[in-house]
């Protein structure tokens, strides 16, 4: 954690918030695309005849679980973390005066440089 004057941080916070919100939207779109793809695969598999299903095979459940963790669970955790960072930045913007000393995270301080 680093302390800086709020007036130094204000100009940067707007772009920081916009960038983080853009990352959140991109991750949400990634999750939606994966879920749509998964639903289409499942519908396709279910619409096959029994004989075709025997030969086509289906991904094992543990593969599906690993895909879910990779494409849904981890991005959701990242989204949660990004939202916390955005809320922290917004609280600095709304609750501090330009002359106040504010505490900023190390990541925010790195991005300011």
């Amino acid at each position: 954690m680093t302390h800086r004057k709020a007036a130094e941080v204000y100009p940067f916070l707007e772009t920081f918030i916009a960038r983080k919100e853009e990352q959140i939207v991109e991750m949400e779109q990634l999750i939606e695309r994966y879920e749509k793809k998964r639903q289409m695969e499942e519908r396709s598999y279910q619409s096959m005849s029994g004989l075709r299903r025997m030969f086509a095979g289906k991904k094992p459940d543990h593969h599906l679980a690993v895909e879910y963790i990779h494409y849904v669970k981890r991005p959701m955790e990242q989204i949660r973390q990004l939202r916390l960072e955005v809320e922290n930045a917004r609280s600095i913007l709304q609750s501090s005066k330009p002359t106040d000393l504010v505490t900023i995270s190390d990541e925010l301080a790195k991005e300011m440089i």
Side-chain angles (χ1 to χ4, degrees):
M1 295 293 186
T2 307
H3 296 287
R4 295 242 176 136
K5 283 200 173 216
E8 295 174 12
V9 179
Y10 282 166
F12 177 74
L13 286 178
E14 297 291 332
T15 57
F16 178 79
I17 291 170
R19 192 172 337 123
K20 294 299 178 183
E21 286 178 342
E22 189 176 304
Q23 288 177 347
I24 290 170
V25 168
E26 288 173 3
M27 288 180 163
E28 287 173 341
Q29 289 173 349
L30 176 87
I31 292 169
E32 286 178 31
R33 283 194 305 266
Y34 169 75
E35 288 176 343
K36 284 181 185 177
K37 178 185 146 213
R38 205 46 227 119
Q39 288 174 355
M40 287 176 51
E41 288 174 354
E42 185 62 29
R43 270 190 246 123
S44 172
Y45 182 78
Q46 293 300 324
S47 68
M48 289 181 185
S49 68
L51 185 61
R52 284 191 72 195
R53 269 192 237 166
M54 260 188 349
F55 292 114
K58 188 176 178 183
K59 288 183 182 177
D61 288 338
H62 63 279
H63 285 228
L64 296 176
V66 170
E67 280 184 3
Y68 178 81
I69 289 169
H70 181 75
Y71 290 107
V72 178
K73 190 173 181 181
R74 284 189 186 147
M76 289 300 282
E77 290 171 1
Q78 291 172 343
I79 288 172
R80 204 170 305 117
Q81 182 65 34
L82 289 171
R83 286 195 173 132
L84 287 173
E85 291 174 14
V86 167
E87 286 304 313
N88 184 28
R90 281 199 177 122
S91 69
I92 291 171
L93 273 176
Q94 294 171 353
S95 65
S96 63
K97 297 174 186 168
T99 57
D100 292 345
L101 277 178
V102 293
T103 304
I104 58 173
S105 66
D106 293 332
E107 181 183 331
L108 187 58
K110 267 195 286 186
E111 289 193 29
M112 285 180 65
I113 296 173

